[in-house]
Amino acid sequence: VRDLVRGRQGRIGLVVLGLAIVVVAAFLATRTSGVPPVGPLSTTNLNVIADREPVSASDTVTWGAFMPTNPTSEPISITSVEPVDPSGVEIVQIEANDPTTEGAIGTIRVFPPPGVTMHPIAGAILQPLGSKSPYLQILVGVRLTSGAVSGSIGGLRVTYVAGGESYQLVLPDSLKLEQSPASSSA
Amino acid sequence: VAAGPPTATHCLFYDAGSGTTINSGTAVTFSNGYAMSTQIGLSLSTSTGFTNQAAVNFNFLANGNLCGSNNYPFSAARIVGK
């Protein structure tokens, strides 16, 4: 009986060891393959917002996009934000703010937006959900490139630090600018 | 008595001529905060009501706001144009 138990325990031990090796190997493969690890922020189950704005050639648009809320208990720091698949547009500036106290924007044909306070995107803080200010808005100043009649941004790639680790997240919200002679600055 | 639009205080500003399409990540209710027969400041491409995994267009004919009931529109259960 003792040999039987020992054999059974041995087999369980081998299975556990094997699983541990697979998990560690998968973790190391992710770290060394250049694929960013999945962080605590997620866009799953969020509404995807596709904005569109008629512009003239001289308009610079402010486009607002929201970070998902922070489910952790610690502040998350934004390192950088860059447009995904930009076409026909020039990014003037990317900033951040607290939309609740500093102004919330969908799209508006002026940049910087009047009455809205903005801060540098690098170092912007996303406070935990449940804190006094749990929202962080990304504000993009963008205009058509010279000669373009339309332009678009397919999303925003956000690099952030949580718990001392760096992660990337792609916000699927998008913007389309279309030149229109009828448009006028706000 | 017809029910009024839901209270929605988490608002984003949109200027005249702009528009937005919202693909709902979860079940979400869309509505137009204006009475359709009176002060039209916004058009909505679908009828008001409950939708699930839907795409709804808001077109701002004048300066207006897109508001969420319990959160900003990116994560709101109810979205109102007004």
Side-chain angles (χ1 to χ4, degrees):
Chain A
V1 173
R2 186 180 299 166
D3 289 344
L4 184 62
V5 170
R6 190 177 295 158
R8 203 172 276 170
Q9 286 176 337
R11 282 195 295 277
I12 292 172
L14 282 175
V15 170
V16 171
L17 180 63
L19 287 174
I21 290 172
V22 168
V23 169
V24 170
F27 176 78
L28 291 176
T30 301
R31 287 289 168 159
T32 56
S33 66
V35 178
V38 176
L41 298 182
S42 170
T43 59
T44 302
N45 292 331
L46 296 184
N47 300 321
V48 178
I49 299 177
D51 290 323
R52 51 192 180 273
E53 183 78 54
V55 293
S56 68
S58 61
D59 284 333
T60 299
V61 166
T62 303
W63 173 45
F66 276 64
M67 288 292 294
T69 50
N70 174 2
T72 76
S73 59
E74 301 295 327
I76 284 175
S77 176
I78 308 300
T79 306
S80 63
V81 174
E82 58 186 25
V84 175
D85 298 330
S87 173
V89 294
E90 175 188 353
I91 303 298
V92 175
Q93 202 165 343
I94 301 180
E95 304 250 309
N97 78 353
D98 177 347
T100 304
T101 59
E102 297 177 322
I105 298 291
T107 59
I108 182 174
R109 285 183 298 274
V110 61
F111 184 88
V116 174
T117 303
M118 302 190 297
H119 309 279
I121 191 70
I125 298 296
L126 179 61
Q127 297 290 352
L129 184 63
S131 66
K132 188 177 177 184
S133 301
Y135 301 112
L136 185 66
Q137 179 181 223
I138 298 168
L139 294 161
V140 181
V142 56
R143 60 188 171 215
L144 291 174
T145 54
S146 179
V149 295
S150 66
S152 62
I153 298 173
L156 293 173
R157 182 175 293 104
V158 180
T159 303
Y160 65 94
V161 174
E165 294 287 335
S166 184
Y167 303 99
Q168 278 193 346
L169 172 76
V170 173
L171 303 182
D173 296 342
S174 62
L175 173 69
K176 187 167 188 178
L177 303 181
E178 289 188 328
Q179 193 165 336
S180 165
S183 67
S184 60
S185 296
Chain B
V1 178
T7 302
T9 56
H10 295 74
C11 298
L12 307 177
F13 179 80
Y14 283 82
D15 58 8
S18 64
T20 189
T21 300
I22 300 185
N23 288 276
S24 64
T26 57
V28 59
T29 301
F30 299 96
S31 64
N32 187 334
Y34 289 100
M36 295 299 285
S37 61
T38 57
Q39 190 178 358
I40 299 296
L42 176 149
S43 69
L44 188 61
S45 66
T46 67
S47 59
T48 299
F50 181 84
T51 60
N52 190 5
Q53 300 293 323
V56 175
N57 288 308
F58 291 85
N59 293 303
F60 288 88
L61 309 180
N63 291 348
N65 290 281
L66 191 69
C67 304
S69 56
N70 60 333
N71 206 332
Y72 285 98
F74 79 98
S75 186
R78 288 180 174 184
I79 295 176
V80 180
K82 60 183 182 179

